[in-house]
């Protein structure tokens, strides 16, 4: 059974979060192809939290960038400003959420949590 998951927030700001992460995934897969998956669930341990995972089957985030991923002006793109993920993290935290990244040579998984609207 599908359960509706509603979070409180600024629609445009939250849209920007997903545009930033998904466009990074598209950019990663542009040349070799692959799969982007988006999944929404309720956190079993904290049922008041929504969990959104966005994953891709790309080559992963370069090791030297990983510790600085959410800092401004960090980018692996030739024309990247490095602001996308810094802004993304700021928006998520402004909505009392969290973002976590796991990256491997076989892909990357962004896990975002937001409190549910009561």
């Amino acid at each position: 059974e599908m359960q509706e998951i509603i979070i409180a927030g600024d629609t445009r700001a939250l849209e920007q979060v997903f545009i930033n992460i998904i466009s990074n995934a598209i950019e990663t897969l542009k040349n070799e192809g692959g799969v982007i998956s988006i999944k929404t669930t309720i956190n079993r341990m904290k049922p008041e939290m929504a969990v959104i995972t966005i994953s891709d089957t790309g080559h992963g985030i370069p090791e030297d960038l990983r510790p600085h991923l959410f800092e401004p002006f960090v980018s692996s793109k030739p024309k990247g400003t490095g602001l996308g993920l810094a802004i993304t993290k700021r928006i998520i935290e402004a909505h009392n959420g969290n973002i976590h990244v796991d990256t491997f040579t076989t892909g990357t998984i962004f896990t975002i949590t937001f409190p549910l609207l009561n």
Side-chain angles (χ1 to χ4, degrees):
E1 180 191 322
M2 295 281 284
Q3 179 184 347
E4 193 171 44
I5 295 175
I6 301 173
I7 57 175
D10 179 304
T11 308
R12 284 208 179 112
L14 291 173
E15 186 178 309
Q16 193 62 53
V17 163
F18 298 106
I19 287 171
N20 289 349
I21 294 172
I22 294 166
S23 63
N24 283 351
I26 290 168
E27 183 80 18
T28 298
L29 301 176
K30 185 171 69 180
N31 296 322
E32 67 265 20
V35 177
I36 299 170
S37 302
I38 302 167
K39 181 180 170 189
T40 308
T41 56
I42 301 292
N43 185 330
R44 286 201 187 104
M45 305 303 274
K46 294 181 180 174
E48 70 282 0
M49 299 296 282
V51 180
I52 301 142
T53 56
I54 303 169
S55 58
D56 68 62
T57 57
H59 46 73
I61 296 164
E63 209 155 319
D64 58 324
L65 290 185
R66 293 175 191 179
H68 309 288
L69 207 53
F70 297 105
E71 295 171 17
F73 314 117
V74 173
S75 180
S76 62
K77 298 178 202 164
K79 292 184 179 169
T81 60
L83 291 174
L85 289 178
I87 291 168
T88 296
K89 182 176 170 75
R90 198 167 292 161
I91 292 169
I92 291 167
E93 289 176 347
H95 287 80
N96 299 311
N98 273 301
I99 184 166
H100 174 79
V101 64
D102 290 300
T103 188
F104 316 92
T105 54
T106 53
T108 299
I109 305 165
F110 281 90
T111 304
I112 305 165
T113 57
F114 287 114
L116 290 168
L117 182 64
N118 292 346

